[in-house]
Amino acid sequence: MNVDQLEQLSAKELHDRAVRYAVRHGDFGFLWDLLKVIPAAQGAAGREEETANDLSRVSALLSDAMAAGEGKLGEALRPVYIEYLSKHNDPDD
């Protein structure tokens, strides 16, 4: 999919596609990058209290990464998913 097509997808769909692709291809670099940007995205989404907690708990970040496609958090992470998916064209999707 090209960037214009990806822009038309919901944050949830972008999240699901990006995480599914990364898991299927063992792209732990992307998953780690996602974990690193989630606290800032939570702050942008108005969830500052969770930001402080997540910075100190890696397990919480892993959980967040698997569900980071919904609501304001998903919207804040849209650019991350679009950039990743535009670089990794998967014919299975």
Side-chain angles (χ1 to χ4, degrees):
M1 296 183 90
N2 65 38
V3 173
D4 290 334
Q5 292 169 312
L6 292 169
E7 289 282 358
Q8 300 304 312
L9 300 176
S10 70
K12 174 73 171 137
E13 193 167 5
L14 288 168
H15 163 268
D16 291 351
R17 284 174 178 252
V19 170
R20 183 174 56 239
Y21 181 92
V23 169
R24 189 168 48 232
H25 292 91
D27 190 349
F28 296 108
F30 171 75
L31 296 172
W32 181 248
D33 289 343
L34 180 60
L35 292 175
K36 291 189 297 186
V37 299
I38 285 174
Q42 286 180 325
R47 296 167 59 178
E48 292 84 7
E49 185 175 308
E50 290 182 43
T51 300
N53 292 334
D54 284 349
L55 288 172
S56 65
R57 294 185 357 232
V58 173
S59 63
L61 287 174
L62 290 170
S63 176
D64 287 346
M66 298 311 290
E70 299 181 21
K72 290 180 181 180
L73 178 59
E75 291 301 323
L77 291 168
R78 284 178 60 83
V80 175
Y81 300 135
I82 289 170
E83 179 182 356
Y84 180 73
L85 290 168
S86 69
K87 292 178 183 177
H88 298 89
N89 188 14
D90 188 357
D92 293 336
D93 284 330

